[in-house]
């Protein structure tokens, strides 16, 4: 009679231990300890670049603190989760200390598999970054999201002081070939992969459509939109309220499109399950 051990699947405890080991290896400057937690087929990802790791380890001592772990889905052999960690850097040589912005809170979307009793990471993608000061406190305003070496375009920067978002924090900054994007999230949810509410400003050098009216028509015709109502329409602007089905939940979004002399803006406010959020503009 042969007895076969039942596959217990992946547990949350195993996944948490995986990221704890990953972060400990980073603090210990253990390159092999980092590499061994990734699937052999995925060890070419940029995060594991040998020369970049060695340069970072040579210059800095790094303290890591895991702030949040959230399991999104799991079955016998695969799991998807997110986690958020804070990295605080100090120079190995104290004389090299500068006021540069390098301390940060990062959230990661992670996919993992279980093979032969071992947990392997197969995807490791950062989706949110907030920069903090030397005491670990969030930097103020857009300073919290602009990466070192990047500059926010004056066309979008001039609008930011007009948005007073109580209990919101900017947690994303993207630079594309012709646009910049800043997202604001509820303060207690900047680590979530799908926060309850989002307020975003997306700046483009130019509008792709021939007119705002054409742009609005193209936007509301998207297949992902369940219903849409144009609340405002002029030659230079429009306001549209939409309904979007996301994971079997009906979400509502207000989208303002604004054409100016120096570019095109889309200001979007996504609110959870039809609930309005108190926000002062």
């Amino acid at each position: 009679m042969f007895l076969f051990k039942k596959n217990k699947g992946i547990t949350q405890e195993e996944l948490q231990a995986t990221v704890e080991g990953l972060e400990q290896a980073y603090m210990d400057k253990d390159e092999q300890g980092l590499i061994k937690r990734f699937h052999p087929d995925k060890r070419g990802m940029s995060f594991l670049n040998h020369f970049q790791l060695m340069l970072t380890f040579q210059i800095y001592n790094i303290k890591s603190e895991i702030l949040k772990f959230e399991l999104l889905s799991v079955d016998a052999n695969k799991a998807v989760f997110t986690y958020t960690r804070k990295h605080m850097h100090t120079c190995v040589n104290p004389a090299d200390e500068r006021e540069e912005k390098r301390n940060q809170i990062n959230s990661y979307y992670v996919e993992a598999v279980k093979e032969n009793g071992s947990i392997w990471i197969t995807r490791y993608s950062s989706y949110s970054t907030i920069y903090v000061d030397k005491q670990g406190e969030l930097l103020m305003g857009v300073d919290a999201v602009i990466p070192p070496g990047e500059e926010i375009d004056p066309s979008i920067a001039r609008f930011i002081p007009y948005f007073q978002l109580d209990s919101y924090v900017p947690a994303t900054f993207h630079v594309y070939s012709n646009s910049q994007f800043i997202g604001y999230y509820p303060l207690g949810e900047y680590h979530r992969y799908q926060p309850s509410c989002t307020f975003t400003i997306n700046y483009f050098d130019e509008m792709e459509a021939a007119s705002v009216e054409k742009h609005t028509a193209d936007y509301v015709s998207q297949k992902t939109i369940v219903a849409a109502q144009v609340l405002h329409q002029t030659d230079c602007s429009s306001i549209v309220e939409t309904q979007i089905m996301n994971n079997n939940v009906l979400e509502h979004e207000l989208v303002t499109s604004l054409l100016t002399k120096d570019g095109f803006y889309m200001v979007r406010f996504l609110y959870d399950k039809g609930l309005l959020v108190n926000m002062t503009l």
Side-chain angles (χ1 to χ4, degrees), residues 125-192:
S125 304
S126 176
Y127 65 86
S128 176
T129 300
I130 305 178
Y131 294 96
V132 299
D133 61 21
K134 289 186 175 181
Q135 287 71 46
E137 300 297 327
L138 300 183
L139 292 174
M140 298 298 294
V142 294
D143 286 338
V145 295
I146 299 177
E150 297 286 359
E151 291 186 7
I152 190 167
D153 192 293
S155 298
I156 192 172
R158 66 190 174 102
F159 280 93
I160 292 171
Y162 295 99
F163 296 101
Q164 303 299 320
L165 304 172
D166 293 338
S167 300
Y168 274 61
V169 60
T172 306
F173 176 84
H174 296 295
V175 177
Y176 303 103
S177 59
N178 68 336
S179 71
Q180 287 191 352
F181 169 94
I182 289 180
Y184 293 82
Y185 304 85
L187 182 58
E189 299 182 21
Y190 59 79
H191 52 79
R192 291 182 59 187

Side-chain angles (χ1 to χ4, degrees), residues 38 111 137 165-166 203 211 252:
F38 289 81
E111 295 178 1
E137 300 297 327
L165 304 172
D166 293 338
Y203 165 77
S211 66
H252 289 236

